[in-house]
Amino acid sequence: MTSRVGDFEMRLEHLRAALEAQPRVRLGAFPTPLEHLPRLSSTLGGPDIWVKRDDLTGLAFGGNKTRTLEYVLGALLLEKPDVLVTGANIQSNWSRQAAAAAAKLGIPIVLVLRNTEMQEIQGNVLLDLWLGADVRFVSEPDITFVIADHLDRVVDELRAQGRHALKIDPWSASAAVGYAAAVPELMDQCKAVGITPTRIWTAAAGPTQSGLLLGSRYLDWPVRVTGIAPIRWAGDTMATRTADSANLASGILGLSVTIADTDVETDEGYIGPGYARPSKLGLEAMRLVARTEALLLDPVYTGKAMAALIDQIGHGLITTEDTIVFLHTGGLPAVFAYRDQILEMATTSL
Ligand SMILES: *Cc1c(COP(=O)(O)O)cnc(C)c1O
């Protein structure tokens, strides 16, 4: 029998080689910083809290989609598209980082964005236009509907014009690879600062948590990965989608790890009024973190994830025995689209 340490080193080497073999485009600046939050930790009186700054991935205001896109686009570019198509909600961070990647790669991009409430051109969508994306709005009432039909229609239309149009799919087989690659990066940083995290805490709707789970399971890292849902998907549950995405990536990396739905720790209790609608707890969490650590969070994802952490510390579910790494997944441009709610919280007394 090989020793555990030897086994770990073999697995790490295998993971690194498997990642190295994946097609990839370089878009971000890695490693992102791992920072201590001592004032937040002492204010909450619970666990020691650290933040992994994936808001600082460096691609046009950054965010977690930079890691995802490095591998998703790496695979897609092998098919030599001359125009890219993707889309989501109007304040989509995915779409903004895709527009930035397309600009950097010199490939035109069409974004189909859901805008039902005549929302202001601000935040991410302003940047999409600035980065040169061809933005098309659709009015789609169901917020969990991924506008797949609209994307297909645009692809068909471009192909009829003789273009080689390809969709960038946030659920493609490579989607979780970027966050599997983030695991050894984070393990190295934890070792360097001398912490042994018990939990990785993140806003999660799919591939981010999938990759973190896959990487940590493969490397036998005894850390829990907790995902706080910003959205309740129609159809498949968050756990199923997350496990499926992890297993696709496991397959292409040849890791022989299977993630079951029951391995996915997901919490839908902090969505509040709905997807992309700020919650009071989320805004309060954003304000506390800004005023104790000068760390800026967003109201759609990271604010709600931080609200969940604060709430669960308050209820004694997370204690001084824990060490938390909060993954900052980005989303900051959207702050400016929520000016009214943020201004109201800024001026409400504590
Ligand atoms: C997209 C996004 C998430 C969720 O990422 P998944 O990979 O879909 O889990 C979390 N936070 C922010 C800021 C995002 O833009």
Side-chain angles (χ1 to χ4, degrees), residues 3-264:
S3 75
R4 224 178 140 74
V5 172
D7 194 41
F8 169 75
E9 275 159 10
M10 270 176 54
R11 281 168 175 260
L12 184 59
E13 204 172 300
H14 179 97
L15 178 60
R16 291 214 158 113
L19 289 166
E20 208 54 52
Q22 292 302 308
R24 178 181 185 184
V25 290
R26 300 275 172 170
L27 299 169
F30 302 110
T32 56
L34 176 69
E35 295 171 353
H36 193 204
L37 300 178
R39 279 181 28 85
L40 180 67
S41 302
S42 74
T43 301
L44 297 174
D48 204 24
I49 306 172
W50 293 69
V51 61
K52 173 70 171 160
R53 298 291 305 271
D54 276 9
D55 56 319
L56 299 180
T57 54
L59 180 69
F61 286 129
N64 63 338
K65 303 313 184 305
T66 305
R67 288 190 195 267
T68 311
L69 284 163
E70 285 201 342
Y71 291 95
V72 170
L73 284 173
L76 202 64
L77 291 198
L78 297 177
E79 297 175 52
K80 307 232 173 295
D82 61 17
V83 57
L84 298 166
V85 179
T86 196
N89 211 41
I90 183 165
Q91 283 301 330
S92 161
N93 300 301
W94 160 262
S95 302
R96 183 247 316 156
Q97 284 161 92
K104 213 171 158 74
L105 296 166
I107 305 174
I109 187 167
V110 180
L111 296 179
V112 180
L113 299 179
R114 179 186 171 279
N115 183 11
T116 50
E117 291 158 14
M118 301 296 287
Q119 291 182 50
E120 193 187 353
I121 302 301
Q122 178 55 286
N124 281 304
V125 69
L126 178 63
L127 296 173
D128 296 340
L129 293 164
W130 187 241
L131 290 161
D134 174 354
V135 176
R136 318 234 178 131
F137 292 113
V138 294
S139 150
E140 192 55 63
D142 181 356
I143 204 146
T144 66
F145 185 64
V146 196
I147 61 175
D149 293 347
H150 297 286
L151 294 177
D152 288 338
R153 188 171 41 69
V154 170
V155 167
D156 288 347
E157 180 193 310
L158 291 163
R159 287 187 181 166
Q161 295 163 15
R163 310 283 297 276
H164 185 31
L166 290 178
K167 267 192 299 190
I168 321 174
D169 177 7
W171 296 96
S172 79
S174 313
V177 172
Y179 271 95
V183 170
E185 175 184 314
L186 179 58
M187 286 178 91
D188 276 352
Q189 290 176 312
C190 290
K191 202 170 150 202
V193 297
I195 59 167
T196 307
T198 55
R199 311 281 288 260
I200 298 173
W201 199 275
T202 183
T208 296
Q209 188 174 8
S210 308
L212 292 171
L213 259 176
L214 178 63
S216 56
R217 284 297 161 88
Y218 182 72
L219 295 174
D220 246 329
W221 193 19
V223 68
R224 282 168 68 181
V225 181
T226 304
I228 306 302
I231 189 169
R232 198 171 281 107
W233 295 113
D236 283 346
T237 65
M238 188 68 82
T240 303
R241 282 181 171 243
T242 303
D244 288 353
S245 168
N247 293 328
L248 284 172
S250 179
I252 64 169
L253 290 168
L255 298 185
S256 59
V257 167
T258 306
I259 304 293
D261 293 11
T262 47
D263 295 330
V264 181

Side-chain angles (χ1 to χ4, degrees), residues 307-323:
L309 179 61
I310 294 169
D311 186 50
Q312 296 191 20
I313 292 169
H315 285 92
L317 300 170
I318 299 162
T319 68
T320 51
E321 303 290 299
D322 284 298
T323 299

